[in-house]
Amino acid sequence: MTNPLVFHFDFSSPYGYLGAEKIEALAHRHGRDVEWHPMLLGVAFKTTGAQPLTMVPLKGDYTKHDVPRSARFHGIALNMPGRFPIATQAPARIVLWQRERHPESCGELVKTLYRAYFVDNRDIGDPDIAADVSAIAGVDREAARAAVDDPVWKDALRREVEAAIAKGVFGSPFVFVDGEPFWGIDRFAQIERWLAEGGF
Amino acid sequence: MTNPLVFHFDFSSPYGYLGAEKIEALAHRHGRDVEWHPMLLGVAFKTTGAQPLTMVPLKGDYTKHDVPRSARFHGIALNMPGRFPIATQAPARIVLWQRERHPESCGELVKTLYRAYFVDNRDIGDPDIAADVSAIAGVDREAARAAVDDPVWKDALRREVEAAIAKGVFGSPFVFVDGEPFWGIDRFAQIERWLAEGGF
């Protein structure tokens, strides 16, 4: 029972950001690590027919109200970015590139990128900004910037997203605990009990 | 601060059922009552472009797994009905009819109807079955059956649904606490804190 928690997220997802801020403490309370999997929700949305939440009538207005309230509820800083949603290929490729070399430092990189977007309103969809921000997390800036345009990491992200959808991932955050799927930060209480009791 | 919790739900919504089983205890812990508002999600879905959850690719399979797991998590009996989703005009009209006469007994009626569908697999979308089940909750069977076909209660339900959508209701359960909107049983922890602290 030492599998990591498999954490899928999209950098444009505010609930993914809230989840990223909480998942490591949750995992560590139960002797687990976190495996970080950047996702492109837009690709999954083509399968489910979904749209970005904020663009849906009624639900969009609710979501714009619920996101900052949920951040306050969880005690996490959040300022909704001016530009939303954004394309997240650039930070996602940097995370894949870093994960292969230093998986243990991925959490810090993911949280630094997320905070740049959801606290400091920096457009991490821009490859140069994604590289600048990654440098704050201790990553080599130029190497990170090069990874964004490298066909190796473009292809790795394509395969990562395809594999996630094949596993049933359609939202963010989406967590697997020993294969058991949990969608949403709303399910973290269920994850907590699942880890404590080995299922329920 | 003695407003009731305004609880919107669709009888075909399994999460609405779980919410109905929990909302009264939650309200009473904070000196509140519950005001019951049956909803027709299909009408809201025309506005939001949503489909019944179980019919959405990927999300549907997840939901079929999450519903019974969430029921276990909350300690609530649930057997997914063979026929799902169903049209819920019949039980919704009976609730509106009963609410006008005996609002204090609405909770018992709603839970009895929900349990008939989500525990005992009875098709409460059928007006005769909805009336039979309502009788279990102490309601006059023939009067309840007549209310289903009465233009007064048909019109009342139409207005009820329109008013809910105008307030921004697009899912089930959907709860207002002194005007503050909370969607989903996933937000009950937030409702609890909102009631305890008067907002956050």
Side-chain angles (χ1 to χ4, degrees):
Chain A
M1 294 292 282
T2 53
N3 295 326
L5 303 195
V6 181
F7 184 82
H8 297 266
F9 63 97
D10 185 320
F11 274 115
S12 200
S13 159
Y15 298 112
Y17 161 58
L18 300 182
E21 291 285 345
K22 303 206 73 160
I23 191 69
E24 288 171 310
L26 171 52
H28 295 164
R29 278 196 291 279
H30 301 277
R32 307 280 190 126
D33 283 324
V34 177
E35 195 177 277
W36 301 87
H37 289 264
M39 173 71 190
L40 301 177
L41 274 186
V43 181
F45 285 178
K46 284 182 193 159
T47 304
T48 59
Q51 300 176 61
L53 277 176
T54 53
M55 295 181 178
V56 180
L58 299 181
K59 207 170 187 172
D61 287 338
Y62 175 80
T63 301
K64 285 176 198 163
H65 185 75
D66 183 64
V67 163
R69 185 180 63 197
S70 291
R72 294 195 304 275
F73 180 73
H74 291 289
I76 297 169
L78 181 142
N79 302 300
M80 268 309 280
R83 195 166 164 204
F84 178 85
I86 54 170
T88 55
Q89 279 85 350
R93 287 176 194 149
I94 292 174
V95 168
L96 291 183
W97 164 78
Q98 175 75 351
R99 192 179 72 191
E100 183 167 283
R101 297 157 53 250
H102 298 291
E104 75 289 351
S105 69
C106 251
E108 198 52 37
L109 175 60
V110 169
K111 287 185 290 181
T112 302
L113 284 160
Y114 254 140
R115 290 170 188 165
Y117 183 50
F118 281 110
V119 180
D120 301 326
N121 199 7
R122 300 187 69 180
D123 181 2
I124 60 169
D126 180 308
D128 290 319
I129 296 175
D132 287 346
V133 171
S134 297
I136 301 171
V139 168
D140 180 271
R141 195 227 173 260
E142 295 315 311
R145 178 65 188 81
V148 174
D149 295 330
D150 186 332
V152 168
W153 300 108
K154 288 184 177 181
D155 189 53
L157 179 57
R158 232 178 340 254
R159 281 183 285 110
E160 176 88 14
V161 171
E162 279 169 17
I165 292 173
K167 282 169 62 187
V169 175
F170 58 84
S172 164
F174 205 105
V175 184
F176 290 91
V177 181
D178 304 324
E180 180 75 10
F182 295 92
W183 170 41
I185 188 165
D186 330 288
R187 289 293 176 276
F188 276 32
Q190 292 198 20
I191 294 175
E192 187 95 50
R193 192 188 303 173
W194 196 273
L195 287 165
E197 302 177 4
F200 57 79
Chain B
M1 293 293 282
T2 53
N3 295 326
L5 304 195
V6 180
F7 183 81
H8 296 265
F9 63 97
D10 186 320
F11 275 113
S12 201
S13 159
Y15 297 113
Y17 161 58
L18 299 182
E21 291 284 346
K22 304 207 74 161
I23 191 70
E24 288 171 310
L26 172 52
H28 295 164
R29 278 196 292 278
H30 300 278
R32 306 280 190 126
D33 284 323
V34 177
E35 195 178 277
W36 301 87
H37 289 264
M39 174 71 190
L40 301 176
L41 274 186
V43 182
F45 285 178
K46 283 180 193 159
T47 304
T48 58
Q51 298 178 64
L53 276 176
T54 53
M55 295 181 176
V56 180
L58 300 180
K59 206 170 187 172
D61 287 339
Y62 175 81
T63 301
K64 285 175 198 162
H65 185 76
D66 182 64
V67 163
R69 185 180 63 196
S70 291
R72 294 195 304 275
F73 180 74
H74 291 290
I76 297 169
L78 181 142
N79 303 299
M80 268 309 279
R83 194 166 166 206
F84 178 86
I86 55 171
T88 55
Q89 279 85 351
R93 287 175 195 150
I94 292 174
V95 168
L96 290 184
W97 163 78
Q98 176 74 352
R99 192 179 71 190
E100 184 166 282
R101 297 156 55 249
H102 298 291
E104 74 291 350
S105 69
C106 250
E108 198 52 37
L109 176 60
V110 168
K111 287 185 291 181
T112 302
L113 284 159
Y114 254 140
R115 289 170 189 165
Y117 183 50
F118 281 110
V119 180
D120 301 327
N121 199 7
R122 299 187 70 182
D123 181 2
I124 60 169
D126 181 307
D128 291 318
I129 297 175
D132 288 346
V133 171
S134 298
I136 301 170
V139 169
D140 181 88
R141 195 229 173 256
E142 295 315 310
R145 178 66 188 82
V148 174
D149 295 330
D150 187 334
V152 168
W153 300 108
K154 288 185 177 181
D155 190 53
L157 179 57
R158 230 176 343 251
R159 281 184 283 114
E160 176 88 14
V161 171
E162 280 170 15
I165 292 174
K167 281 169 63 187
V169 175
F170 58 85
S172 165
F174 205 105
V175 184
F176 290 90
V177 181
D178 303 324
E180 180 75 10
F182 295 91
W183 169 42
I185 188 165
D186 330 289
R187 288 295 176 275
F188 276 33
Q190 292 197 20
I191 293 175
E192 187 95 51
R193 193 188 301 174
W194 196 274
L195 286 166
E197 302 178 3
F200 55 79

